[in-house]
Amino acid sequence: MKYIFNNKGECVASSDSDVSQEWIDSIGGIVVESDKNYIISEIMLLDGVITVSTPQEVTPPKDDVVVTKVDTTALLNLLLEQQEALLEVQSQLEELKQGV
């Protein structure tokens, strides 16, 4: 299996067939072949060696959690106003195009 790593060492793809060198170059990547099958989201390339990374569970502190009540009616009214304004601009653009 061929594993494609970007310039940060992150595995971005795998393939059992040839990979476009142009694409690899465009991401500053490298291809590493291996007889082992990996889950691409679990591996990194460190010092040229495929390394299985252990995902770390991140628990945000409770102080960082913010719950906000949203007034959906007010939000919808704002969206409708924006839509009306955009329709007006579109109408003005059409008038300008016809006048040219």
Side-chain angles (χ1 to χ4, degrees), residues 19-40:
V19 181
S20 163
Q21 188 61 46
E22 183 179 328
W23 177 70
I24 294 166
D25 292 343
S26 75
I27 64 168
I30 186 170
V31 176
V32 178
E33 290 191 51
S34 177
D35 294 332
K36 292 184 179 181
N37 288 319
Y38 295 101
I39 299 170
I40 65 171

Side-chain angles (χ1 to χ4, degrees), residues 23-85:
W23 177 70
I24 294 166
D25 292 343
S26 75
I27 64 168
I30 186 170
V31 176
V32 178
E33 290 191 51
S34 177
D35 294 332
K36 292 184 179 181
N37 288 319
Y38 295 101
I39 299 170
I40 65 171
S41 63
E42 295 179 355
I43 59 174
M44 299 270 313
L45 190 65
L46 298 173
D47 298 322
V49 177
I50 296 175
T51 305
V52 177
S53 61
T54 54
Q56 297 185 4
E57 187 175 320
V58 177
T59 305
K62 291 183 180 183
D63 294 340
D64 287 354
V65 177
V66 177
V67 178
T68 305
K69 183 177 179 182
V70 176
D71 182 350
T72 54
T73 302
L75 185 58
L76 287 173
N77 287 334
L78 286 171
L79 288 172
L80 287 173
E81 289 174 15
Q82 292 299 313
Q83 181 183 23
E84 290 171 4

Side-chain angles (χ1 to χ4, degrees), residues 80-96:
L80 287 173
E81 289 174 15
Q82 292 299 313
Q83 181 183 23
E84 290 171 4
L86 288 171
L87 289 172
E88 178 62 29
V89 169
Q90 184 180 17
S91 174
Q92 292 173 357
L93 285 173
E94 291 299 322
E95 289 175 11
L96 288 172

